[in-house]
């Protein structure tokens, strides 16, 4: 029987949809249904297990799944380290401490002697220790933000993404404990060669998808005397392509630009004399 790599992903929750989208963008076709707990890809040797996020590290550690997609927060909260193979660039959120909006204890130091509700007791305990804050940790498995309003705790430490859950519960952030995102994890034992080859191929695809998300294709026209300056602004993966335009004294320059720098680069390009700037999304980028 030919080898099949097993990957564990969240069945429901903040990473579930984006994990499946990533696999789809890697060209992997899956049949998924509301009740299916596993699915075999039609066109790639991959089986997907749909699990509760807290269970994913243990399944990977035990070798039931070869790799898994999980939030960094879940991985660290488990305590037992597992190899992070790749940061996946989605599911960004932060684990933050928040207090009631009108509380007179609104700094980290002022939490000493107070109760903090959280579903991340291990990470919080470490953070409080590092900052010499002697607070009591009250562990809850969910609905953490409600704890202060029902008298269960003075503060909370929970995941924040848009911040709307904190606002709707009358809470304000006072400290960031951890910045989290989705990560690809693998077990400590080496995979058999055929599975390792599948994992390597999957990683190449995941990196290509991730690169493409961060990068835009850019085309522009510029007078020839501006070309050297523009090349320094958009050096691209290796170097830009430069094509002569039909209009004499002008060139067309093609390159790639990082999403993070995008607006600064556009401003600088215009100042350098670029015209007709066209920016396109990239579907995949293999470096
Ligand atoms: C998380 C977290 C908060 C909420 C924050 O819950 O526990 O309740 O998201 O998101 P926001 O800042 O965008 O409002 P999640 O929906 O992941 O489910 P959980 O209750 O199982 O943790």
């Amino acid at each position: 029987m030919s080898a099949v790599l097993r990957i564990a992903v969240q069945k429901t929750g903040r990473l579930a949809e984006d994990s499946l989208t990533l696999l789809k963008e890697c060209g992997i076709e899956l049949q998924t249904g509301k009740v299916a707990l596993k699915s075999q890809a039609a066109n790639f040797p991959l089986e997907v297990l749909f699990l509760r996020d807290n269970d994913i590290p243990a399944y990977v550690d035990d070798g039931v799944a070869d790799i898994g997609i999980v939030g960094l927060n879940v991985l660290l909260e488990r305590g037992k380290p597992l190899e992070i193979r790749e940061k996946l660039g989605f599911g960004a959120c932060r684990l933050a401490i928040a207090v009631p909006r009108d509380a007179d204890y609104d700094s980290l130091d002022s939490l000493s002697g107070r109760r903090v509700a959280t579903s991340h007791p291990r990470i919080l305990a470490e953070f409080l220790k590092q900052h010499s804050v002697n607070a009591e940790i009250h562990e809850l498995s969910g609905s953490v933000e409600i704890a202060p309003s029902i008298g269960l705790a003075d503060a909370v430490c929970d995941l924040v993404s848009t911040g709307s859950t904190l606002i709707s519960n009358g809470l304000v952030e006072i400290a960031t404990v951890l910045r989290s995102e989705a990560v690809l994890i693998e077990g400590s034992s080496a995979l058999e060669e055929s599975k390792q080859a599948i994992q390597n191929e999957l990683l190449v695809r995941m990196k290509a998808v991730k690169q493409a998300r961060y990068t835009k294709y850019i085309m522009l026209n510029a007078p020839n005397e501006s070309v050297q300056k523009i090349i320094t602004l958009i050096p691209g993966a290796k170097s830009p392509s430069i094509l002569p335009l039909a209009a004499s004294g002008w060139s067309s320059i093609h390159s790639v630009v990082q999403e993070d720098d995008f607006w600064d680069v556009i401003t600088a390009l215009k100042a350098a004399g670029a015209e007709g700037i066209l920016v396109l999304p990239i579907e995949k980028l293999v470096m």
Side-chain angles (χ1 to χ4, degrees):
M1 210 174 88
S2 43
V4 172
L5 189 76
R6 271 188 168 174
I7 184 170
V9 303
Q10 262 192 9
K11 178 166 172 52
T12 55
R14 59 176 57 240
L15 304 182
E17 195 180 329
D18 287 345
S19 300
L20 287 181
T21 301
L22 174 63
L23 293 176
K24 194 173 165 199
E25 289 178 353
C26 287
I28 293 166
E29 288 172 20
L30 288 169
Q31 295 287 340
T32 53
K34 280 195 163 52
V35 290
L37 294 180
K38 63 179 186 173
S39 175
Q40 168 93 42
N43 59 348
F44 192 80
L46 186 75
E47 185 174 56
V48 182
L49 307 182
F50 298 97
L51 304 173
R52 276 173 45 111
D53 59 352
N54 286 341
D55 293 337
I56 291 174
Y59 274 71
V60 173
D61 208 8
D62 294 347
V64 176
D66 301 305
I67 53 176
I69 296 177
V70 71
L72 179 63
N73 59 299
V74 171
L75 185 64
L76 297 182
E77 182 57 32
R78 181 167 179 261
K80 206 172 157 195
L82 272 174
E83 181 81 15
I84 295 176
R85 199 65 182 75
E86 183 76 16
K87 291 185 173 179
L88 296 173
F90 66 86
C93 61
R94 56 195 181 275
L95 187 63
I97 298 177
V99 300
R101 197 179 297 122
D102 52 4
D104 56 6
Y105 47 96
D106 55 2
S107 68
L108 203 49
D109 291 342
S110 59
L111 289 182
S112 280
R114 297 192 178 271
R115 288 167 304 163
V116 186
T118 188
S119 50
H120 293 77
R122 183 188 294 267
I123 298 173
L124 176 60
E126 182 63 28
F127 179 82
L128 293 175
K129 192 172 151 202
Q130 275 170 13
H131 291 83
S132 308
V133 177
N134 189 19
E136 182 191 329
I137 295 176
H138 188 91
E139 185 175 349
L140 293 175
S141 55
S143 304
V144 171
E145 291 91 346
I146 203 176
S149 65
I150 58 173
L152 210 53
D154 304 301
V156 301
C157 173
D158 201 12
L159 294 179
V160 181
S161 178
T162 61
S164 62
T165 308
L166 287 186
I167 291 171
S168 59
N169 284 282
L171 300 168
V172 288
E173 276 178 79
I174 60 165
T176 299
V177 174
L178 172 78
R179 294 203 176 272
S180 183
E181 66 175 284
V183 292
L184 185 76
I185 54 171
E186 61 184 15
S188 45
S189 336
L191 290 179
E192 61 189 73
E193 208 174 306
S194 47
K195 279 193 177 187
Q196 189 60 54
I198 301 168
Q199 182 182 318
N200 293 347
E201 169 64 23
L202 184 61
L203 262 171
V204 167
R205 296 188 187 195
M206 284 182 170
K207 285 180 181 171
V209 170
K210 196 173 111 179
Q211 278 291 345
R213 284 182 184 161
Y214 291 144
T215 314
K216 301 270 183 261
Y217 192 79
I218 185 164
M219 296 188 281
L220 56 89
N221 299 329
N224 288 344
E225 58 271 22
S226 303
V227 167
Q228 285 311 316
K229 167 76 180 161
I230 287 175
I231 288 174
T232 63
L233 295 171
I234 45 171
K238 200 168 188 69
S239 76
S241 307
I242 301 172
L243 308 164
L245 283 189
S248 97
W250 282 75
S251 297
S252 172
I253 304 174
H254 296 203
S255 190
V256 291
V257 61
Q258 294 297 307
E259 177 81 46
D260 287 351
D261 308 329
F262 180 75
W263 289 111
D264 290 341
V265 170
I266 294 290
T267 306
L269 287 172
K270 287 177 77 174
E275 292 182 9
I277 302 171
L278 188 60
V279 178
L280 302 169
I282 295 174
E283 194 171 313
K284 309 279 186 296
L285 181 60
V286 183
M287 303 294 275

